[in-house]
């Protein structure tokens, strides 16, 4: 097919009157063109955003954990409530929740998701007859919705540093390393049968795995794919840093850098509490900082040193994590605003080359997200997968217009959804703000929420 865009944010920057030829899901040609040559004519296109960190089942949990207890709440009390909630979920429930979530992601401009998947077993903690049953529900949700998927099965073995015995709420997550590697291999087979998907792994955290389990799991997935993405929760909470120091005598990111062969396919999720040496180490290895601003704010985690990291050419990606928000615009807005509040300055995450904060953040996060998923996405260029977001220019015309301001208006001025159409892998999945399955899925999802909250 041929797509004509009045304005296109290409890998080289903004360009006018661009004709994109798309074959087998890939952009094969970009030329200065005329609308008469196109199958579809649109106003403004930008690359789709990659969501680098998702726990799909937590979408159904949004809103259930905001009951306070006189300032005594924290990430750790939230986690206990979450454990109680997920005890109820079946395989079918997980598939429905993920489908609802992925449709919401598409409508907001995400075109690929890295699913940090740790809900493996039944509600008694026993493996399903097919070990990959829960993972297969996620693959089915991806296929039904049309979003690209990077499946990251999670290795979870302990409840704390020092190989502490898992608690009751964690029983659905636990695998031996051998069983986990079997699951990863099964997911790799599912990916071969599901379009636009790939597989990596996610050792949950340094508190939930030991060194040998971590290394064995990495070696196994890299035997299947030498570019397989590896994601890990790290340094999210100050308690985690203190516990790691007490056990390993090193801070979490420093221990990881010293003990594992980190490369550009590693994504360190949160990395909120890092020192200068750890920050420099992440930059030197090429590891991606997977930042989840709305969830980190919701859980009271803290603020990643984004200004300093990006100033040293560190690579960032964004994720919606617990899905208290499912909107890349809000993630990027909060990413910048948190830095403004700390620095007491404005327009911080821009560069001399790219003075538009919105443009710089969208481009950097899209490219970093592609790197975090080892996917051929992240920019509009010949040879790249056709993951394309069409902006609703009628809505954006209410704010500062023109190439110079388009992404700033999208991220910092608009309050409504300004994503009109979305293409993933050469297929339209959102047209005129709508997904073909959304009403049916939403009706079933609201019924499920009513059952879970009764």
């Amino acid at each position: 097919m041929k797509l004509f865009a009045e304005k296109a944010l290409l890998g080289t920057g903004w360009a006018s009157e661009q004709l994109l030829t798309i074959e087998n899901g890939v952009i094969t040609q970009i030329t200065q063109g005329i609308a008469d040559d196109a199958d579809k004519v649109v106003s403004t296109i930008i690359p789709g955003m990659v969501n680098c960190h998702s726990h799909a089942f937590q979408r159904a949990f949004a809103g259930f954990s905001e009951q306070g207890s006189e300032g005594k709440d924290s990430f750790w009390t939230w986690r206990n409530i979450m454990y109680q909630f997920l005890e109820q979920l079946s395989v079918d429930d997980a598939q429905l929740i993920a489908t609802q979530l992925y449709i919401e992601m598409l409508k907001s401009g995400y075109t690929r998701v890295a699913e940090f998947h740790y809900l493996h077993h039944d509600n008694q903690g026993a493996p399903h007859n097919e070990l990959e049953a829960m993972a297969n529900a996620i693959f089915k949700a991806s296929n039904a919705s049309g979003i690209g998927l990077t499946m990251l099965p999670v290795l979870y073995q302990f409840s704390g540093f020092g190989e502490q015995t898992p608690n009751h709420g964690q029983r659905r997550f636990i695998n031996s390393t051998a069983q986990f590697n079997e699951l990863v291999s099964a997911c790799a087979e599912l990916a071969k049968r599901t379009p636009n998907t790939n597989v990596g792994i996610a050792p949950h955290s340094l508190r939930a795995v030991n060194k040998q389990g971590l290394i064995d799991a990495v070696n196994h997935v890299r035997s299947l794919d030498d570019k397989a993405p590896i994601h890990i929760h790290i340094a999210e909470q100050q308690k985690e840093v203190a516990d790691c120091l007490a056990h390993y005598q090193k801070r979490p990111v420093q221990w990881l850098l010293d003990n594992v062969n980190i490369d550009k396919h590693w994504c360190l999720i949160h990395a909120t509490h890092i020192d200068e040496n750890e920050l420099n180490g992440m930059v030197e290895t090429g590891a991606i900082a997977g930042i989840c601003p709305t969830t980190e704010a919701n859980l009271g985690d803290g603020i990643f040193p984004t200004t300093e990291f990006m100033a040293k050419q560190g690579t960032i990606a964004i994720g919606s994590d617990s899905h208290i928000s499912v909107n890349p615009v809000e993630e990027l807005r909060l990413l910048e605003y948190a830095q403004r509040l700390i620095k007491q300055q404005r327009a911080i995450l821009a560069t001399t080359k790219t003075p538009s904060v919105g443009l710089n953040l969208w481009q950097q996060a899209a490219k970093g997200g592609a790197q975090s998923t080892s996917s051929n996405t992240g920019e509009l260029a010949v040879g790249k997968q056709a993951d394309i977001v069409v902006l609703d220019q009628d809505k954006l015309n209410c704010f500062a217009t023109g190439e110079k301001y388009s992404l700033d208006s999208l991220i910092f001025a608009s309050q409504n959804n300004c994503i009109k159409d979305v293409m993933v892998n050469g297929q339209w999945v959102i047209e005129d703000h709508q997904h073909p399955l959304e009403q049916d899925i939403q009706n079933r999802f609201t019924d499920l929420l009513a059952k879970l909250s009764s």
Side-chain angles (χ1 to χ4, degrees), residues 328-376:
V329 165
E330 188 169 1
E331 301 297 343
L332 293 174
R333 181 188 300 149
L334 186 54
L335 186 67
E336 164 72 16
Y337 281 176
Q339 299 303 301
R340 294 187 188 190
L341 290 168
I342 292 172
K343 309 292 184 183
Q344 298 181 44
Q345 294 176 298
R346 298 193 70 256
I348 292 175
L349 300 178
T351 66
T352 302
K353 180 181 177 181
T354 310
S356 163
V357 177
L359 176 58
N360 191 48
L361 288 180
W362 193 277
Q363 287 183 310
Q364 295 297 327
K367 291 178 183 178
Q371 182 178 324
S372 78
T373 53
S374 296
S375 60
N376 186 33

Side-chain angles (χ1 to χ4, degrees), residues 37 110 150 162 263 270 276 291 294 345 376 415 423 443:
D37 293 335
Y110 288 118
T150 296
D263 61 26
H270 306 303
E276 186 175 1
I291 311 169
T294 60
Q345 294 176 298
N376 186 33
Q415 302 304 312
M423 173 183 284
N443 290 341

Side-chain angles (χ1 to χ4, degrees), residues 394-410:
D394 289 341
K395 293 183 178 180
L396 284 174
N397 282 340
C398 295
F399 309 101
T401 58
E403 296 172 0
K404 182 178 179 180
Y405 304 110
S406 291
L407 272 296
D408 292 328
S409 291
L410 174 69

Side-chain angles (χ1 to χ4, degrees), residues 131-149:
L131 186 61
E132 69 276 17
M134 277 290 191
N136 195 23
I138 302 300
F139 277 97
K140 289 178 178 178
S142 163
N143 193 45
S145 67
I147 201 167
L149 173 69

Side-chain angles (χ1 to χ4, degrees), residues 56-73:
F57 75 88
Q58 290 183 20
R59 171 60 184 86
F61 184 55
F64 279 108
S65 65
E66 306 302 326
Q67 306 291 311
S69 56
E70 299 180 354
K72 299 176 183 178
D73 292 277

Side-chain angles (χ1 to χ4, degrees), residues 162-339:
E163 303 183 11
Q164 296 175 39
T165 302
N167 64 46
H168 182 76
Q170 296 164 338
R171 65 190 183 281
R172 301 190 73 174
F173 316 155
I174 306 303
N175 283 296
S176 68
T177 306
Q179 184 170 265
F180 175 74
N181 287 342
E182 181 184 342
L183 171 62
V184 172
S185 293
C187 286
E189 290 302 313
L190 288 172
K192 292 176 183 178
R193 303 197 296 269
T194 311
N196 198 20
T197 64
N198 66 335
V199 174
I201 62 167
H204 181 272
S205 58
L206 295 186
R207 67 179 185 272
V209 299
N210 61 19
K211 181 178 179 179
Q212 194 59 54
L214 173 60
I215 291 172
D216 289 349
V218 169
N219 288 342
H220 176 71
V221 75
R222 286 287 171 85
S223 73
L224 302 175
D225 176 2
D226 61 6
K227 295 186 175 80
I230 316 291
H231 292 213
I232 186 170
H233 290 139
I234 199 92
E236 179 178 4
Q237 286 277 322
Q238 290 186 10
K239 181 181 184 302
E240 179 185 355
V241 176
D243 289 349
C244 190
L245 281 166
H247 181 68
Y248 285 126
Q249 290 76 55
K250 288 188 177 182
R251 300 173 61 86
V253 171
Q254 193 61 57
W255 185 92
L256 202 62
L257 292 166
D258 291 345
N259 287 276
V260 184
N261 184 23
I262 305 299
D263 61 26
K264 67 179 183 179
H265 301 295
W266 279 73
C267 185
L268 308 192
I269 302 299
H270 306 303
T272 310
H273 301 286
I274 58 174
D275 65 17
E276 186 175 1
N277 288 334
E278 292 172 306
L279 185 151
N280 290 335
M282 289 177 64
V283 173
E284 288 167 7
T285 61
I288 305 136
I291 311 169
C292 308
T294 60
T295 290
E296 289 155 5
N298 183 266
L299 297 179
D301 288 343
I303 298 171
F304 180 79
T306 312
T307 304
E308 293 77 10
F309 188 73
M310 292 184 71
K312 294 189 176 186
Q313 308 307 308
T315 302
I316 67 163
I318 58 164
S320 59
D321 194 351
S322 69
H323 315 303
I324 199 69
S325 169
V326 187
N327 188 341
V329 165
E330 188 169 1
E331 301 297 343
L332 293 174
R333 181 188 300 149
L334 186 54
L335 186 67
E336 164 72 16
Y337 281 176
Q339 299 303 301

